[in-house]
Amino acid sequence: MGANATGEAETGPLRLHFDRTIKLAFQGSSISSDGGLLLHRELDDALGLTGMAAQMMVDPRTGKNGQHQIGGDLRQSVFSRLAGWEDVNDADRLRSDPVMRQVVGGKAVKTSAASASAMGRFETQMLTLPGNLAALAELPGRWIDAVHDKQPPKFITLDMDSSESPVHGDQEGAMWNGHFRSKCLHPLFVFNQYGDMERCALRPGNVHSADGWEDVLKPVLARYSRSARPSLKRRRFRADAAFAIPALLDLLEDEDWDYAIRIKGNPKLHSQVEWLSKRRPGRPPNHIVRHYTSFHYRAKSWSKPRRVVAKVEFHPGELFPRVGFVVTNRSLPNERVLAFYNDRGTAEQHIKEGKYAIKWTRLSCMKFAANEVLLQLHALAYNLANFLRTLATPEVIETWSLTSLRERLIKTGARLVRHGRYAIFQMAAATLPRKIFAQVLDLINGLRGPPDNPVPA
């Protein structure tokens, strides 16, 4: 059974045999499964995010018949992914969705959002223009700056890591990666301690994990420099052994960043902990035994000696100890340095959330530039979802993952009822009660500044 342009049933409701009093009516233009997107749109408005993005992009269209402005198309791209609709083919189903039309705004409110073909042209042609692609790469950081302008942090901790985006075709740049044991593209990410993605870049599948780190990391460090953010008291950086690069260490020290970066073991390093690597006499204990030490060490490629913290672990049933080394310029005790480094595991958790909640591994275009755009759009959707979690979730749901927020908040059913002056969305209360929505809105409104023209008392 189809539906016409207004979403009304063409041949009447369907009947169910198990209970003949039940009828199924398809009112596509008045029912939505994504009512919670209205909260994200409210947060977007409070922080001025997609408005900022539209100002940074260039619309090459010269005709006057375009139905949607670039800001509306961008909202449709980002909010669709936020709700789990990661493919532009879904646009034909979503264009009549009342919540999506309201989110897109403009002419879409009374007519429809963009079609799949229009969104395809927007993402693979307009956004792949060099200027727009550069703007997309800048936007995650600009959005985070907008948040920090509202709630300035006292310190910042950056985690850098790479990941895989498996592909199943002949996409440009897709290569076999021996570490991941898959044919993939190989994106690089930088996150902060709140889980926000500071910047990302898409790379061919066979490059080294740290390839292109300067282009990704240097703009982020510049945004948090003493001149840009003088209120920051501490600046800290963590990464695994792939990023133990002499130029990166020098840069962090020159920019006054504290760091803890894992380094690979070698005979000279192991000789420094040989005295800890020998098992003690007697029966081995049934628990893990850890020993720590630190020393100064200068690799041939380093500009100077640096502090290295070592951890030696004896595990029950294992003949040889596990030994790890971290280079750092922090003056903390050995155990605290290792604890600080181990917290970088949260970056891996953020990557997993992006994969499963936002589905940013869905890079199915044949052209590399088009897949770059898709990754950046997923990054914006991820950040908007994370902003809601960190800035506007009440205590009762503040520990929810992005997946839970999508399935239990965004996927709230809503029915649109229009009156002369108002559009009322009747929200399903089965998943989350009105109280939760009201608390989220209160927190979002707390982010808004004072009105431009306050009404006199």
Side-chain angles (χ1 to χ4, degrees):
M1 178 179 293
N4 62 20
T6 62
E8 296 173 353
E10 293 179 346
T11 57
L14 298 177
R15 301 293 292 268
L16 298 178
H17 285 280
F18 82 91
D19 189 337
R20 300 298 292 176
T21 65
I22 296 176
K23 297 181 180 180
L24 304 181
F26 291 80
Q27 302 291 332
S29 64
S30 62
I31 304 293
S32 174
S33 63
D34 301 324
L37 285 180
L38 296 170
L39 296 178
H40 292 80
R41 181 66 181 94
E42 185 76 354
L43 179 63
D44 168 29
D45 181 71
L47 297 173
L49 302 180
T50 54
M52 173 201 309
Q55 293 177 357
M56 293 174 59
M57 293 182 180
V58 176
D59 190 344
R61 296 174 294 187
T62 57
K64 298 182 179 180
N65 295 326
Q67 182 174 349
H68 305 296
Q69 300 296 321
I70 192 169
D73 286 339
L74 181 66
R75 279 193 291 273
Q76 186 168 344
S77 288
V78 172
F79 280 78
S80 295
R81 288 169 170 82
L82 192 60
W85 307 100
E86 75 278 4
D87 198 311
V88 293
N89 293 331
D90 298 315
D92 280 338
R93 293 188 292 273
L94 293 174
R95 64 183 307 192
S96 62
D97 183 284
V99 170
M100 183 57 65
R101 285 159 46 204
Q102 203 72 41
V103 162
V104 171
K107 296 179 180 179
V109 175
K110 293 185 178 180
T111 56
S112 68
S115 64
S117 59
M119 292 306 300
R121 291 191 298 271
F122 172 70
E123 294 184 3
T124 62
Q125 297 179 22
M126 189 186 304
L127 293 185
T128 55
L129 296 174
N132 287 340
L133 191 51
L136 280 174
E138 293 287 335
L139 273 173
R142 294 289 189 92
W143 282 17
I144 293 171
D145 287 343
V147 172
H148 289 174
D149 289 342
K150 300 285 187 180
Q151 297 184 355
K154 294 182 179 179
F155 69 93
I156 197 74
T157 301
L158 300 180
D159 292 301
M160 197 169 197
D161 206 352
S162 67
S163 181
E164 64 166 338
S165 290
V167 298
H168 306 284
D170 294 322
Q171 286 95 325
E172 186 178 0
M175 299 287 181
W176 175 263
N177 187 295
H179 175 73
F180 296 114
R181 301 186 64 80
S182 69
K183 184 180 179 182
C184 64
L185 296 169
H186 194 184
L188 181 62
F189 302 102
V190 178
F191 295 92
N192 63 30
Q193 73 267 28
Y194 305 108
D196 305 323
M197 187 197 295
E198 295 278 353
R199 198 176 181 94
C200 65
L202 190 64
R203 306 170 302 172
N206 62 345
V207 301
H208 184 268
S209 293
D211 186 77
W213 67 267
E214 302 100 325
D215 295 335
V216 176
L217 183 60
K218 285 184 177 179
V220 180
L221 298 185
R223 289 181 27 247
Y224 291 115
S225 65
R226 293 200 177 277
S227 58
R229 289 280 174 186
S231 61
L232 284 175
K233 297 180 179 179
R234 304 287 291 186
R235 297 166 176 82
R236 307 184 300 196
F237 178 86
R238 299 179 293 216
D240 66 15
F243 300 91
I245 303 169
L248 193 154
L249 299 177
D250 292 336
L251 175 64
L252 293 173
E253 291 166 352
D254 291 343
E255 299 291 332
D256 198 24
W257 282 72
D258 295 337
Y259 61 82
I261 302 175
R262 188 179 181 88
I263 58 175
K264 295 180 179 179
N266 60 45
K268 288 188 176 181
L269 290 173
H270 282 284
S271 68
Q272 294 281 350
V273 298
E274 186 177 1
W275 60 282
L276 285 177
S277 301
K278 297 179 181 179
R279 284 194 176 274
R280 304 300 187 264
R283 183 182 295 276
N286 292 323
H287 58 272
I288 299 174
V289 177
R290 296 182 178 90
H291 301 293
Y292 301 89
T293 188
S294 63
F295 50 88
H296 279 77
Y297 165 79
R298 180 176 181 176
K300 290 182 179 180
S301 58
W302 290 1
S303 59
K304 61 182 180 181
R306 293 183 168 97
R307 182 189 179 195
V308 173
V309 178
K311 177 175 68 172
V312 180
E313 286 186 343
F314 292 91
H315 287 250
E318 296 183 8
L319 182 60
F320 298 102
R322 304 179 188 180
V323 183
F325 303 95
V326 170
V327 60
T328 185
N329 61 349
R330 305 201 70 182
S331 58
L332 297 172
N334 297 334
E335 291 187 44
R336 291 185 60 189
V337 169
L338 268 299
F340 168 70
Y341 170 78
N342 289 336
D343 282 343
R344 69 165 293 276
T346 56
E348 298 177 1
Q349 182 62 33
H350 303 326
I351 290 174
K352 288 181 180 179
E353 284 204 303
K355 286 182 176 181
Y356 299 122
I358 308 298
K359 302 181 183 178
W360 68 33
T361 57
R362 182 66 179 267
L363 305 178
S364 55
C365 292
M366 298 305 296
K367 295 293 186 180
F368 187 82
N371 282 324
E372 285 185 285
V373 168
L374 298 186
L375 179 65
Q376 299 295 345
L377 291 172
H378 281 98
L380 296 179
Y382 169 88
N383 273 355
L384 183 55
N386 198 59
F387 291 162
L388 188 84
R389 175 171 62 178
T390 57
L391 301 174
T393 50
E395 185 177 357
V396 67
I397 63 171
E398 66 181 2
T399 60
W400 284 10
S401 68
L402 295 187
T403 300
S404 294
L405 286 171
R406 187 195 70 206
E407 294 177 350
R408 302 173 65 182
L409 178 66
I410 292 178
K411 295 298 181 181
T412 298
R415 179 174 183 265
L416 173 63
V417 178
R418 288 197 176 276
H419 296 284
R421 296 177 57 189
Y422 298 101
I424 299 176
F425 282 93
Q426 298 175 341
M427 313 296 287
T431 52
L432 287 177
R434 179 186 185 279
K435 179 181 178 181
I436 299 297
F437 277 76
Q439 290 175 335
V440 172
L441 287 174
D442 286 343
L443 291 169
I444 292 174
N445 288 330
L447 298 171
R448 297 182 183 275
D452 295 332
N453 297 306
V455 179

